[in-house]
Amino acid sequence: MRITCPICGERDRREFYYRGAALDRPDPEAGQEAWDDYVYLRDNPAGRTRDLWYHDAGCGSWLVVERDTVSHAILNVALALDADA
Ligand SMILES: [Zn+2]
């Protein structure tokens, strides 16, 4: 799998470190159940996902990568700073 870093260009996925699902953080006052879900519960979807990746062997940027877990296609890559929350 190859990921196109917005700064460095197309690179092998081994240059990146997977950091998990890119989730929307609940409001600080959302309550214990919302925070428990955010911290501990994850879906394991077959299809489109939105994940955080760190370009460890490159520019050190945090990226939001949209990909398809079935076809392994990379659908979009954006700097986490620019991605919608
Ligand atoms: Zn990079």
Side-chain angles (χ1 to χ4, degrees):
M1 184 168 82
R2 296 187 66 84
I3 297 173
T4 302
C5 173
I7 295 174
C8 305
E10 186 177 301
R11 301 297 170 98
D12 190 274
R13 61 113 9 238
R14 289 174 288 189
E15 289 192 11
F16 300 84
Y17 190 77
Y18 175 77
R19 297 299 298 184
L23 303 174
D24 295 331
R25 181 182 287 255
D27 182 85
E29 305 302 322
Q32 184 173 348
E33 186 173 340
W35 279 99
D36 284 348
D37 288 353
Y38 174 74
V39 173
Y40 297 112
L41 298 181
R42 295 292 179 266
D43 295 328
N44 188 19
R48 195 176 186 124
T49 63
R50 191 167 173 265
D51 309 312
L52 283 174
W53 291 73
Y54 179 68
H55 198 177
D56 191 40
C59 62
S61 294
W62 286 94
L63 307 174
V64 175
V65 177
E66 294 179 37
R67 63 190 176 98
D68 189 309
T69 60
V70 176
S71 68
H72 303 289
I74 302 292
L75 306 170
N76 190 48
V77 180
L79 293 173
L81 289 171
D82 298 335
D84 294 332

